[in-house]
């Protein structure tokens, strides 16, 4: 595949969302007041299962999401679902004309996978990467989120970087023929994930540039970046050419926009103005309880949706 065409069509050029007609859903499936606007969001906001309606069926959650204006969905733990469940999700989303975003292909918070030299762990990681290809095809998605594991305190930093870059190149060789994009997320050391190898955007940017493949890009989670580095908009501007996916959550608390210190109205308008039409995953909890909490969260998403 032509590299420029892949970058243009696969990463940042997602098609504009259309305003699909309202679907009828029984009141028993709706968990919030029906007065909430159901016009599609301009930004491709992508909830995960159980953020809003924990305990409801997969179909109920997706239909409810469509009713509220969501035209995309993601599932971090999709790999843990059965093939039958994955197929069910895809059938429902096809019926609703919704797009599927990221899922996790390989993840370890206890092992030195990318930064280390243990060939057994590295081969295990690559096997999980190979297996993730079939899941991506099943869901018709380009995006697989792979976590780079722990840092290795026994190795100098530059050796760890070289190890990670080498393994990322092997991942790219697996994904490129299928038009799949691995996105790697920086996770903060200060609150949530001390000890992980990948924790800053400049580090991720340097690795993506070194790999030099349309199949290895950055997942920019504004929650983690704000805690670890701050300076959100200049940071994303510097890394722009290597960013393939966004996730959001406010801080402190990792709840919906408007509950913390991040000015998401400005941040989301900024990336929209720069031409981003890709997924924005909702990687957070809900601050309020019950129907009122869900309604308040949806109202905040309407307020930060770009103009």
């Amino acid at each position: 595949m032509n590299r420029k065409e892949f970058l243009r069509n696969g990463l940042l050029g997602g098609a504009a969302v259309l305003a699909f007609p309202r679907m009828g859903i029984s009141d028993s499936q709706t968990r919030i007041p029906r007065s909430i606007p159901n016009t599609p969001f301009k930004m491709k906001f992508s909830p995960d299962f159980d953020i809003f309606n924990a305990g409801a069926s997969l179909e109920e959650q997706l239909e409810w999401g469509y009713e509220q204006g969501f035209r995309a969905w993601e599932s971090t733990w999709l790999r843990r679902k059965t093939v039958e469940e994955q197929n069910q999700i895809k059938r429902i989303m096809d019926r609703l004309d919704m797009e599927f975003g990221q899922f996790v292909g390989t993840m370890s918070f206890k092992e030195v996978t990318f930064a280390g030299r243990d060939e057994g762990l590295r081969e295990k990681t690559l096997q999980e990467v190979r297996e993730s290809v079939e899941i991506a095809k099943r869901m018709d998605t380009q995006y697989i989120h792979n976590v780079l594991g722990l840092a290795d305190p026994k190795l100098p930093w530059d050796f760890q970087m070289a190890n990670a870059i080498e393994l990322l190149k092997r991942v790219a060789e697996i994904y490129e023929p299928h038009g799949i994009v691995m996105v790697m997320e920086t996770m903060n050391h200060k609150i949530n994930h001390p000890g992980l190898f990948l924790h800053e955007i400049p580090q991720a940017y340097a690795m993506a540039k070194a790999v030099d493949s349309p199949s290895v890009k950055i997942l920019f989670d504004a929650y983690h970046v704000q805690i670890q580095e701050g300076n959100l908009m200049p940071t994303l501007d510097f890394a722009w050419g290597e960013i393939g996916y966004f996730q959001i959550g406010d801080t402190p608390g990792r709840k919906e926009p408007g509950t913390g210190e991040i000015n998401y109205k400005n941040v989301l308008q900024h990336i929209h103005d720069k031409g981003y039409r890709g997924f924005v995953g909702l990687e957070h909890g809900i601050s309020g309880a019950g129907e009122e909490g869900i309604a308040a969260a949806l109202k905040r998403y309407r307020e930060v949706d770009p103009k």
Side-chain angles (χ1 to χ4, degrees), residues 57-247:
S57 71
L58 299 175
E59 184 172 22
E60 287 173 335
Q61 291 189 58
L62 288 167
E63 289 185 336
W64 177 91
Y66 183 96
E67 278 278 309
Q68 311 317 313
F70 296 110
R71 297 296 182 263
W73 209 264
E74 65 179 38
S75 179
T76 293
W77 302 118
L78 180 73
R79 188 184 177 105
R80 297 179 179 178
K81 298 187 184 301
T82 66
V83 171
E84 180 180 353
E85 289 173 322
Q86 294 170 13
N87 285 331
Q88 179 190 14
I89 293 167
K90 184 62 170 62
R91 286 194 300 270
I92 298 166
M93 295 185 72
D94 283 348
R95 171 167 61 81
L96 298 172
D97 278 321
M98 296 175 74
E99 296 180 67
F100 189 88
Q102 66 86 34
F103 68 94
V104 166
T106 181
M107 174 185 287
S108 176
F109 292 106
K110 297 180 179 180
E111 298 172 315
V112 181
T113 50
F114 279 77
R117 293 177 171 175
D118 186 317
E119 286 302 320
L121 284 177
R122 291 165 76 81
E123 181 52 42
K124 176 186 174 185
T125 298
L126 289 173
Q127 181 57 35
E128 291 177 346
V129 167
R130 295 184 193 101
E131 293 168 358
S132 69
V133 171
E134 293 308 310
I135 301 174
K137 289 180 178 180
R138 188 173 298 128
M139 305 306 297
D140 192 24
T141 183
Q142 286 180 294
Y143 299 100
I144 301 176
H145 173 198
N146 292 324
V147 177
L148 272 57
L150 293 174
D152 188 343
K154 298 178 182 179
L155 280 179
W157 186 251
D158 289 345
F159 287 149
Q160 295 185 66
M161 286 288 286
N163 292 339
I165 290 166
E166 190 275 334
L167 195 57
L168 286 170
K169 288 181 177 179
R170 295 171 69 182
V171 171
E173 290 174 355
I174 294 170
Y175 283 163
E176 278 188 14
H178 306 284
I180 292 172
V181 182
M182 167 187 167
V183 288
M184 50 183 173
E185 179 182 5
T186 64
M187 300 187 190
N188 77 82
H189 276 186
K190 298 178 180 180
I191 295 177
N192 299 99
H193 300 291
L196 284 190
F197 171 65
L198 182 59
H199 61 281
E200 292 187 345
I201 293 295
Q203 176 195 0
Y205 181 80
M207 288 192 292
K209 295 294 283 186
V211 175
D212 191 26
S213 167
S215 284
V216 175
K217 296 296 171 184
I218 298 169
L219 192 167
F220 191 105
D221 187 324
Y223 166 80
H224 285 297
V225 179
Q226 175 68 7
I227 292 172
Q228 187 68 33
E229 306 169 61
N231 204 32
L232 280 176
M233 288 195 285
T235 298
L236 70 85
D237 283 345
F238 282 130
W240 188 254
E242 301 299 331
I243 295 174
Y245 203 102
F246 282 91
Q247 287 183 331

